[in-house]
């Protein structure tokens, strides 16, 4: 679906089903740096066909949405609150991946009444980004994307063994990220790096939580995921064989964990 | 863990060792269909909510390994293996064009491609303009408002004209239409058209990719680098898809929209699928693609050194030779090698060509290219024997033309075979000259 928010045309995937927030529990998927709704391709379709009202917006500058990327995690959290208001979503289950987890933390601390449950996938209390990658995103975005695809995937991704027959994780991911508005990745990485309110925000999260931690994650390593889970409490699921891009590398395991949590 | 390189991907891409039995080789899943865990699982597979297999016309685990390996090697987001290279081209056209649409195509390419565009597609209301592949200006001028794709080969078959893919890609990008490249003669070891700006790559896997001449196959590689939503030219990808619960593929699958359309229409409704046995054979060939291509190239260099200046050879055509009209383009696009097909003329015309072909002992006389074995054919006495010399000339062929597909044998053995065959052809020419009183 398309809508206009803050005078910007926004695209949101509904998992191939009509979206009606009053006809079932709403699941709002929050994508990460340089990503879009397509990263959750194997989640939002799955849950949209199981009685959930799924909605996965592309933030401004990402995917099929117009406009320029937001520059802070705090602004992104406010944007998601506005998005929910614009679509008449009173409450939602949130599922955030990577930087989406930081946005989710911030949103949960600012607007706890909007969230019924929160799932944090391959994320942390903070996601520091090294200067070299930030600079690369500014000067040679394609190289930054290639580096992130390399670091972001575990064994299955590097060997191009996708659950969707005939598809390559890393090459699909590269094209997905290259499809964003110019400069989007750099802004996301700067925002990610600057966000320092995670530990404080985590203390404000009162809803049930699930943290999914991956053994081959080199972007939000296992120990940082465990630290997030320790701060939040709640449920923990570990996927030993997955890299950071667990939502595409190990969708069966991620969906199984989410289904049990929902 | 690393970003694996070409030779590693040739061996490993697409396959995790079998979890149940630990099979290191790719298992041949010789099955038509797959048992569902439950009705919910079946519904999820049909709705593409989860990955997996339903029926081997659509996907098969062995074929999927090949597809993923091809996508990795060519730099595409996805690949679809087909029964042949021709069916790969057909399902691509099916996904992009409808009655009333138009294609701009290279005029110098494989005859079956020409026939498909000129005759078969025309019957279904799709017209094609043929233009020289090495003339980007002519390509640009041939594009119409209803043009839906530009098609050509990197190395043309049989004329070996070279398409300047980056130059043509700029034209198609400006026109908002995809550039579809048949890369059969180059393979991704020589050049990856997607990296040069092409959007879709077609292969006949029967040739160098398999390399053994034992299995037919084709593939479409979806580059995932074309914005299908930039205009209204591609409603098959930007409006609800009849075959997929009304989903808009560009929105649902983004960079993989084209490959999903091909799988859910071309493969589903036409059905030119690859058998798992053939996928296994082609995977065996791909494992050594890099090694084989290096040897193809070095043997081709040796063969060219032998042929150029030989007293029985009237002319030699190969993109690496400085007198080839597209030499500079070939060297720029394919610095590792410019292909293992050589065209040459035997002095003495059609009869001398026939005598040469009948005299080779190691080289095989047949209608294929890209085999591990050296292959030769004389169009004047085989594929085009029904044509007059004038008709041959208009097709860009000459009476004396011999096409050589240089194989992997020891260089000396191939060259010795050619030496003795040329001696035989030379004796015939000499006898003819004496008989005519010349």
């Amino acid at each position: 679906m398309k809508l206009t928010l803050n005078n910007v045309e926004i695209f949101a995937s509904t998992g191939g089903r009509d979206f009606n927030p009053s006809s079932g529990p709403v699941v709002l998927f929050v994508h990460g740096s340089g990503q879009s709704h397509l990263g959750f391709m194997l989640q939002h379709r799955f849950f949209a066909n199981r009685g959930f009202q799924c909605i996965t917006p592309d933030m401004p500058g990402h995917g099929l949405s117009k406009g320029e990327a937001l520059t802070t995690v705090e602004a992104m959290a406010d944007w998601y609150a506005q998005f929910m208001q614009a679509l008449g979503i009173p409450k939602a289950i949130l599922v955030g991946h990577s930087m989406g987890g930081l946005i989710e933390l911030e949103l949960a601390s600012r607007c706890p009444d909007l969230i019924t449950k929160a799932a944090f996938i391959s994320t942390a209390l903070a996601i520091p980004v090294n200067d070299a990658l930030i600079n690369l995103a500014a000067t040679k975005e394609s190289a930054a994307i290639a580096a992130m695809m390399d670091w972001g995937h575990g064994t299955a991704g590097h060997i191009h063994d996708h659950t969707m027959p005939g598809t390559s994780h890393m090459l699909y991911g590269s094209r997905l990220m290259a499809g964003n508005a110019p400069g989007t990745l750099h802004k996301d990485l700067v925002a990610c790096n600057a966000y320092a309110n995670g530990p404080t925000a985590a203390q404000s999260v009162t809803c049930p939580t699930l943290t999914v931690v991956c053994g081959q994650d080199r972007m939000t390593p296992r120990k940082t995921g465990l630290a997030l889970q320790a701060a939040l409490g709640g449920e923990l699921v570990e996927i030993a064989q997955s890299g950071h891009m667990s939502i595409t590398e190990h969708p069966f395991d991620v969906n199984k964990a989410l289904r049990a949590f929902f | 863990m690393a970003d694996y390189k070409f030779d590693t991907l040739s061996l490993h891409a697409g396959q995790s060792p079998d979890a149940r039995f630990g099979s290191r080789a790719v298992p041949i899943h010789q099955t038509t269909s797959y048992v569902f865990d439950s009705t919910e699982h079946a519904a999820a597979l049909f709705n593409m909510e989860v990955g997996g297999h339903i029926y081997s016309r659509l996907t098969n685990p062995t074929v999927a390994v090949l597809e993923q390996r091809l996508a990795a090697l060519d730099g595409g987001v996805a690949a679809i293996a087909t029964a042949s290279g021709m069916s790969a081209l057909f399902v691509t056209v099916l996904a992009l064009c409808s009655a009333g649409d138009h294609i701009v195509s290279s005029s110098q390419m494989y005859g079956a491609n020409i026939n498909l565009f000129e005759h078969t597609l025309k019957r279904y209301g799709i017209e094609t303009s043929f233009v020289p592949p090495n003339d980007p200006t002519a390509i640009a001028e041939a594009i119409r408002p209803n043009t839906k794709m530009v098609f050509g080969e990197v190395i043309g078959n049989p004329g070996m004209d070279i398409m300047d893919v980056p130059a043509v890609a700029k034209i198609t990008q400006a026109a908002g239409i995809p550039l579809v490249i048949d890369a059969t003669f180059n393979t991704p070891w020589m050049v990856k058209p997607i990296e040069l700006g092409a959007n879709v790559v077609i292969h006949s896997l029967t040739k160098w990719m398999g390399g053994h001449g034992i299995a037919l196959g084709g593939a479409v590689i979806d580059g995932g680098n074309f914005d299908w939503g930039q205009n209204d030219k591609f409603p098959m990808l930007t409006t609800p898809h009849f075959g997929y619960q009304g989903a808009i593929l560009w929105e649902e699958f983004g960079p993989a929209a084209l490959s999903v359309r091909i799988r859910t229409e071309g493969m589903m409704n036409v059905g030119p699928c690859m058998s798992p046995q053939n996928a296994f054979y082609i995977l065996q060939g791909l494992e050594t693609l890099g090694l084989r291509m290096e040897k193809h190239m070095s043997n081709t260099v040796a063969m060219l050194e032998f042929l150029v200046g030989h007293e029985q050879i009237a002319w030699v055509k190969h993109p690496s030779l400085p007198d080839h009209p597209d030499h500079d383009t070939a060297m720029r696009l394919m610095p590792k090698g410019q292909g293992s097909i050589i065209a040459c003329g035997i002095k003495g015309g059609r009869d001398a060509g026939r005598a040469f072909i009948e005299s080779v002992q190691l080289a095989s006389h047949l209608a294929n290219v890209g085999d591990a074995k050296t292959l030769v054919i004389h169009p004047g006495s085989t594929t085009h024997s029904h044509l007059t010399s004038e008709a041959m000339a208009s097709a860009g062929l000459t009476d004396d033309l011999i096409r050589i597909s240089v194989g992997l044998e020891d260089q000396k053995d191939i060259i010795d075979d050619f030496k003795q065959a040329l001696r035989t052809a030379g004796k015939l020419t000499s006898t003819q000259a004496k008989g005519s009183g010349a």
Side-chain angles (χ1 to χ4, degrees):
Chain A
M1 69 161 67
K2 286 179 180 170
L3 67 151
T4 300
L5 185 61
N6 302 329
N7 297 316
V8 175
E9 183 182 293
I10 298 298
F11 174 82
S13 172
T14 58
R17 292 277 181 173
D18 292 337
F19 181 75
N20 182 353
S22 61
S23 65
V26 175
V27 183
L28 171 63
F29 292 92
V30 184
H31 66 74
S33 296
Q35 292 285 310
S36 74
H37 70 284
L38 294 168
F40 284 112
M41 182 172 69
L42 295 171
Q43 281 74 43
H44 56 214
R45 290 188 63 76
F46 183 85
F47 288 104
N49 285 286
R50 279 158 185 77
F52 294 93
Q53 299 297 308
C54 292
I55 189 86
T56 313
D58 291 341
M59 280 194 283
H62 295 74
L64 299 177
S65 288
K66 310 290 186 194
E68 289 194 11
L70 303 169
T71 55
T72 65
V73 168
E74 290 83 351
M76 294 172 193
D78 286 343
W79 185 87
Y80 275 94
Q82 293 164 0
F83 175 82
M84 290 177 68
Q85 188 176 22
L87 283 186
I89 303 170
K91 285 179 178 292
I93 302 168
L94 259 61
V95 178
H97 174 255
S98 192
M99 183 182 76
L102 301 183
I103 298 167
E104 192 179 359
L105 273 177
E106 188 62 24
L107 181 58
S109 71
R110 290 176 177 227
C111 311
D113 293 343
L114 292 180
I115 302 169
T116 53
K117 294 180 179 180
F120 297 85
I121 302 172
S122 304
T123 186
L125 288 164
I127 308 180
V129 183
N130 72 48
D131 290 343
L133 181 61
I134 291 175
N135 292 336
L136 201 58
T139 56
K140 195 175 180 186
E141 189 180 79
S142 60
I145 289 172
M148 290 178 70
M149 286 296 106
D150 184 8
W151 300 332
H153 285 89
T155 307
H158 280 84
I159 217 71
H160 304 265
D161 185 10
H162 205 296
T163 60
M164 298 302 277
T167 309
S168 161
H169 306 77
M170 299 216 302
L171 297 164
Y172 184 91
S174 298
R175 295 298 182 196
L176 183 167
M177 294 178 75
N180 294 328
T184 294
L185 179 60
H186 179 251
K187 287 177 183 167
D188 282 354
L189 294 178
V190 170
C192 222
N193 190 49
Y195 182 65
N197 195 43
T200 306
Q203 292 174 10
S204 309
V205 177
T206 54
C207 66
T209 61
L210 164 70
T211 306
V212 176
V213 176
C214 297
Q216 296 183 2
D217 190 341
R218 290 188 287 167
M219 300 185 85
T220 50
R222 178 176 177 273
K223 63 181 180 184
T224 64
L226 293 176
L228 171 65
Q229 193 272 335
L232 290 169
E235 299 176 28
L236 171 69
V237 168
E238 293 205 44
I239 305 175
Q241 298 303 314
S242 183
H244 186 67
M245 292 305 298
S246 51
I247 51 179
T248 49
E249 269 194 321
H250 286 263
F252 294 117
D253 295 324
V254 170
N255 290 0
K256 185 180 172 186
L258 289 174
R259 195 173 191 184
F261 176 62
F262 292 168
Chain B
M1 210 168 299
D3 191 4
Y4 296 124
K5 306 301 184 294
F6 190 90
D7 287 344
T8 308
L9 293 173
S10 296
L11 283 161
H12 291 277
Q15 189 213 5
S16 301
D18 172 52
R20 186 169 179 194
F21 299 112
S23 170
R24 180 58 274 192
V26 177
I28 303 170
H29 291 271
Q30 193 69 43
T31 182
T32 58
S33 37
Y34 307 84
V35 177
F36 305 123
D37 296 341
S38 62
T39 52
E40 185 199 357
H41 178 228
L45 283 166
F46 274 93
N47 197 31
M48 288 182 76
E49 297 159 20
V50 298
H53 305 279
I54 300 170
Y55 192 68
S56 288
R57 190 172 81 246
L58 299 173
T59 62
N60 168 282
T62 310
V63 178
V65 174
L66 172 63
E67 291 170 336
Q68 287 154 196
R69 191 163 301 181
L70 293 169
L73 291 174
D74 250 314
V77 298
I80 293 168
T82 58
S84 68
M86 286 309 303
S87 52
L89 176 57
F90 182 73
V91 294
T92 302
V93 172
L94 193 68
L96 296 174
C97 303
S98 300
D101 288 342
H102 174 252
I103 294 168
V104 175
S105 170
S106 162
S107 58
Q108 304 294 317
M109 59 178 185
Y110 177 48
N113 288 351
I114 298 267
N115 284 339
L116 173 67
F117 288 139
E118 189 167 17
H119 300 291
T120 308
L121 293 178
K122 194 172 185 179
R123 284 171 38 223
Y124 294 92
I126 299 169
E127 291 210 7
T128 301
S129 297
F130 294 97
V131 294
N134 48 7
D135 186 348
T137 303
I139 292 170
E141 289 174 353
I143 293 172
R144 305 174 186 169
N146 63 336
T147 302
K148 296 300 174 69
M149 60 184 262
V150 169
F151 178 74
E153 298 161 317
V154 183
I155 304 174
N157 174 18
M160 286 179 285
D161 313 79
I162 306 296
M163 178 180 272
D164 189 343
V165 176
V168 177
K170 282 183 186 167
I171 292 165
T172 55
Q173 196 174 1
I177 54 175
L179 174 59
V180 181
I181 290 290
D182 185 328
T184 298
F185 270 44
N186 49 272
T187 80
W189 182 85
M190 282 167 57
V191 61
K192 299 179 184 180
I194 291 168
E195 288 183 355
L196 301 181
N199 307 108
V200 183
V201 167
I202 306 287
H203 283 291
S204 167
L205 303 174
T206 313
K207 313 303 189 302
W208 290 265
M209 298 286 262
H212 33 45
I214 61 172
L216 288 170
V220 185
I221 317 294
D222 182 353
N225 56 351
F226 189 83
D227 179 356
W228 301 107
Q230 67 181 286
N231 53 42
D232 59 359
K233 289 178 184 284
F234 303 99
M236 282 84 92
L237 303 175
T238 58
T239 60
H241 178 20
F242 66 88
Y244 194 47
Q245 292 98 25
I248 297 172
L249 301 181
W250 174 235
E251 293 180 353
E252 288 286 316
F253 299 100
L258 175 65
S259 52
V260 173
R261 180 78 192 199
I262 290 173
R263 205 179 287 284
T264 56
E265 183 176 41
M267 304 310 286
M268 173 74 95
N269 301 347
V270 182
C273 57
M274 177 182 281
S275 75
Q277 190 78 39
N278 275 5
F280 175 80
Y281 290 142
I282 292 167
L283 280 163
Q284 304 318 298
L286 278 182
E287 289 194 351
T288 57
L289 180 62
L291 291 170
R292 288 187 291 107
M293 291 307 288
E294 283 182 22
K295 185 80 187 292
H296 275 299
M297 296 307 125
S298 60
N299 277 4
T300 299
V301 169
M303 181 61 81
L304 286 168
E305 286 172 357
F306 166 70
L307 292 172
V308 173
H310 189 285
E311 61 182 3
Q312 286 300 119
I313 299 295
W315 55 270
V316 182
K317 189 174 185 184
H318 187 265
S320 69
L321 298 176
D323 63 350
H324 188 284
D326 301 325
H327 171 74
D328 292 345
T329 308
M331 301 309 285
R332 172 165 49 86
L333 300 187
M334 298 174 285
K336 290 167 73 177
Q338 299 77 41
S340 56
I341 298 294
I342 299 171
C344 62
I346 305 283
K347 286 181 182 172
R350 197 177 286 213
D351 289 342
R354 185 184 295 119
F356 171 81
I357 288 290
E358 289 177 351
S359 302
V360 291
Q361 294 170 2
L362 191 60
S364 305
H365 178 209
L366 54 78
N368 192 19
V369 291
D371 197 304
K373 302 170 185 71
T374 295
L375 315 175
V376 292
I377 196 162
H378 176 227
S381 61
T382 54
T383 53
H384 295 70
S385 60
H386 58 290
L387 299 182
T388 63
S389 295
E390 292 73 24
M392 290 263 293
S394 69
L397 303 169
T398 55
D399 279 342
D400 60 352
L401 169 67
I402 298 287
R403 186 181 71 185
I404 306 162
S405 175
V406 180
L408 304 179
E409 298 91 343
D410 186 281
Q411 289 173 7
K412 183 174 184 306
D413 292 336
I414 314 173
I415 289 169
D416 284 350
D417 188 35
F418 273 56
K419 276 181 187 170
Q420 63 82 23
L422 284 169
R423 268 199 304 274
T424 304
K427 285 176 189 167
L428 175 73
T429 311
S430 170
T431 306
Q432 282 177 336
K434 285 175 187 169
S436 68

